């Protein structure tokens, strides 16, 4: 790896961010994320219909598991998409790749609505569904990592948590809109018509949403951080190239922390937003709309909590929220699922609220924490790889949970699953280094104005002094040990 020529950091080295561009970046990134989760919301709520349309010859239990499996299998292809788009994003820029991923993602989601039923084309129906979901999974492999990086590299250091929280605000909003659209269409056309043709309409909506997202992303400039990195690379005789093996060797801890945080967050996400609708109707025997409307209400509440968590993390740090969210999963998951089975609307709402708040604490800081783990030159590729490896495991949550519940006939299996997930979260929090209010690795400090730039510079210098003091203290300790050992040897002074 090349070594940069280091000079003292001065006030002119602090990047002053154009706040209007930051807002546009957030809108463009959040809309793409909203489309991704719009599909997840729709798919989760029409899984029972897709089972009947594409797997009509199976029992209701097998239909549901098969539909959820079709949701989960494409996750295996996400690391390939992450690897492909990640390295392109580090080479050619974040903006270009995000424009490509949103096209593939919206077109593939739209394509689900075009696939004929099993009765029309036989076995080709589920095969085409799987192919379209694989294409979708491949594009999504580069979507979230790129969007999180795009927002992080456009955000001032002291507001990165708040800015990043809007990315997953888009996730929750996309899910709520998807679930709401399904409920609205079901109510408007009736259950029979929805199963016959109405389920296709929500998937058609992904195309116009994707075109809007493409327009927003295409109109944005490349991030200031990547532009500065590109200029630095252009001045070198031999531009830096970092291979996959080097990333694994030099950034193992950051990769593992990324995997742990994403795993804990997304298992909870998929359990709450994708699996529970089918769990309510199939395992608890509630009507299709009974649990759906309650989940939508809880998700709307999460929308208001999300930015608050991000903003608060800029004040007290990201680690406290990872600890709090993970411990909440360990303590609250079992009682929450007991409440879900009471058939009492208020108690079901309380149970969902407990799970949702646990999720909010984790997802509220994820988009600001993950990009800060890696330096600019490998940020996209390293994050995309680690993120999507975790998502492969997390994406199997609905299928594994449904299968375990059917096999064991124990409806508390999802609670045990989340308790284990919370344990991984606590371990991750222990190894996570605090990133709040600090510059991104390999990037200049970023501020909204000159006054904040001066404060950041002072804080940056104080941080360096603290690190030097710790190093000096360590040197003194090592020197004492060296002297102690030297005294025991006749030939060493």
């Amino acid at each position: 790896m090349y070594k940069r020529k280091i000079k003292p950091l001065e006030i002119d080295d602090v990047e002053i961010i154009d706040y209007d561009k930051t807002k546009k970046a957030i809108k463009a990134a959040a809309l793409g994320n909203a489309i991704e989760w719009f599909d997840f919301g729709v798919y989760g709520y029409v899984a029972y219909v897709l089972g009947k349309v594409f797997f009509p010859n199976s029992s209701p239990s097998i239909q549901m598991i098969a539909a959820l499996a079709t949701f989960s299998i494409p996750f295996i292809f996400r690391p390939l998409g992450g690897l492909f788009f990640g390295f392109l994003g580090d080479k050619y820029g974040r903006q270009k790749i995000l424009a490509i991923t949103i096209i593939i993602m919206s077109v593939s989601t739209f394509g689900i609505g075009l696939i004929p039923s099993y009765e029309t084309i036989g076995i080709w129906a589920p095969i085409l569904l799987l192919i379209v979901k694989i294409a979708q999974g491949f594009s999504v492999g580069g979507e979230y990592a790129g969007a999180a990086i795009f927002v992080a590299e456009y955000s001032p250091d002291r507001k990165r948590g708040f800015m990043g929280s809007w990315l997953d605000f888009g996730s929750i909003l996309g899910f709520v809109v998807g679930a709401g659209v399904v409920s609205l269409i079901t109510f408007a056309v009736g259950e029979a018509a929805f199963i016959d043709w109405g389920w296709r309409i929500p998937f058609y909506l992904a195309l116009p949403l994707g075109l809007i997202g493409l327009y927003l992303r295409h109109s944005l400039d490349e991030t200031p951080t990547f532009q500065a990195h590109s200029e630095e690379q252009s001045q070198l005789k031999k531009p830096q190239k970092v291979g996959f093996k080097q990333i694994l060797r030099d950034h193992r801890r950051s990769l593992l922390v990324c995997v742990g945080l994403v795993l804990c967050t997304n298992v909870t996400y998929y359990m709450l937003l994708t699996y529970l609708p089918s769990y309510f109707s199939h395992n608890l025997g509630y009507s299709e709309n009974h649990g759906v409307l309650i989940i939508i209400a809880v998700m709307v509440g999460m929308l208001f909590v999300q930015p608050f968590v991000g903003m608060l993390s800029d004040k007290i740090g990201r680690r406290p929220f990872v600890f709090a969210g993970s411990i909440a999963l360990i303590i609250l998951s079992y009682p929450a699922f007991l409440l879900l089975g009471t058939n009492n609307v208020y108690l079901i709402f309380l149970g969902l609220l407990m799970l949702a708040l646990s999720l909010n604490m984790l997802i509220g800081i994820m988009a600001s924490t993950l990009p800060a783990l890696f330096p600019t030159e490998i940020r996209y590729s390293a994050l995309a790889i680690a993120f999507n490896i975790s998502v492969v495991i997390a994406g199997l949550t609905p299928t594994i949970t449904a299968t375990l519940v059917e096999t064991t006939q124990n409806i508390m299996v999802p609670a045990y699953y989340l308790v284990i997930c919370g344990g991984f979260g606590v371990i991750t929090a222990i190894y996570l280094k605090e990133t709040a209010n600090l510059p991104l690795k390999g990037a200049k400090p970023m501020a909204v104005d000159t006054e904040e730039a001066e404060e950041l510079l002072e804080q940056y210098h104080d941080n360096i002094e603290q690190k030097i003091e710790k190093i000096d203290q360590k040197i003194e300790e090592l020197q004492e040990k060296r002297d102690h050992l030297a005294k025991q040897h006749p030939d060493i002074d």
Side-chain angles (χ1 to χ4, degrees), residues 352-364:
L352 287 171
L353 187 63
M354 291 159 65
L355 296 174
L357 288 176
S358 303
L359 177 58
N360 256 137
M361 286 186 280
L362 294 168
I363 201 169

Side-chain angles (χ1 to χ4, degrees), residues 369-434:
T369 303
L370 298 181
L373 295 173
F374 305 101
T376 305
E377 62 269 18
I378 63 161
R379 184 169 293 130
Y380 204 149
S381 50
L383 178 52
I385 292 167
F387 181 87
N388 288 292
I389 288 173
S390 330
V391 168
V392 168
I393 303 170
L396 296 173
T397 297
T399 308
I400 293 174
T401 308
T403 304
L404 288 174
V405 171
E406 290 298 322
T407 303
T408 64
Q409 292 298 302
N410 185 345
I411 61 172
M412 296 305 292
V413 164
Y416 304 141
Y417 207 101
L418 289 180
V419 169
I420 295 171
C421 171
F424 280 106
V426 170
I427 295 171
T428 300
I430 293 171
Y431 286 96
L432 173 65
K433 293 181 179 179
E434 187 55 71

Side-chain angles (χ1 to χ4, degrees), residues 74-75 77-79 81-82 108 132-142 388:
F75 280 77
F77 292 85
R78 287 184 63 152
S108 57
V132 171
K133 291 296 291 180
I134 288 172
Q136 189 182 64
F138 187 80
S139 65
V140 169
N388 288 292

Side-chain angles (χ1 to χ4, degrees), residues 64-80:
M64 188 185 74
I65 291 173
L68 290 174
T70 308
F71 168 85
S72 298
I73 288 173
F75 280 77
I76 299 171
F77 292 85
R78 287 184 63 152
L80 295 177

Side-chain angles (χ1 to χ4, degrees), residues 100-172:
I100 295 171
T101 58
I102 200 170
I103 294 172
I104 301 174
M105 192 166 58
S106 56
V107 169
S108 57
T109 302
F110 174 77
I112 295 174
L114 298 177
I115 302 173
S117 66
Y118 187 95
E119 292 181 354
T120 305
I121 60 173
I123 191 64
W124 281 105
I127 290 175
L128 287 174
L129 176 63
L130 185 60
I131 291 173
V132 171
K133 291 296 291 180
I134 288 172
Q136 189 182 64
F138 187 80
S139 65
V140 169
E143 171 62 30
Y144 183 88
I149 290 168
F150 200 70
V151 172
E153 292 184 348
Y154 254 114
S155 300
D157 295 342
R158 289 188 173 180
K159 294 185 178 180
R160 189 166 291 117
F162 177 66
M163 298 301 181
S165 67
W166 290 99
L167 183 62
D168 284 298
F169 179 95
S171 302
I172 301 169

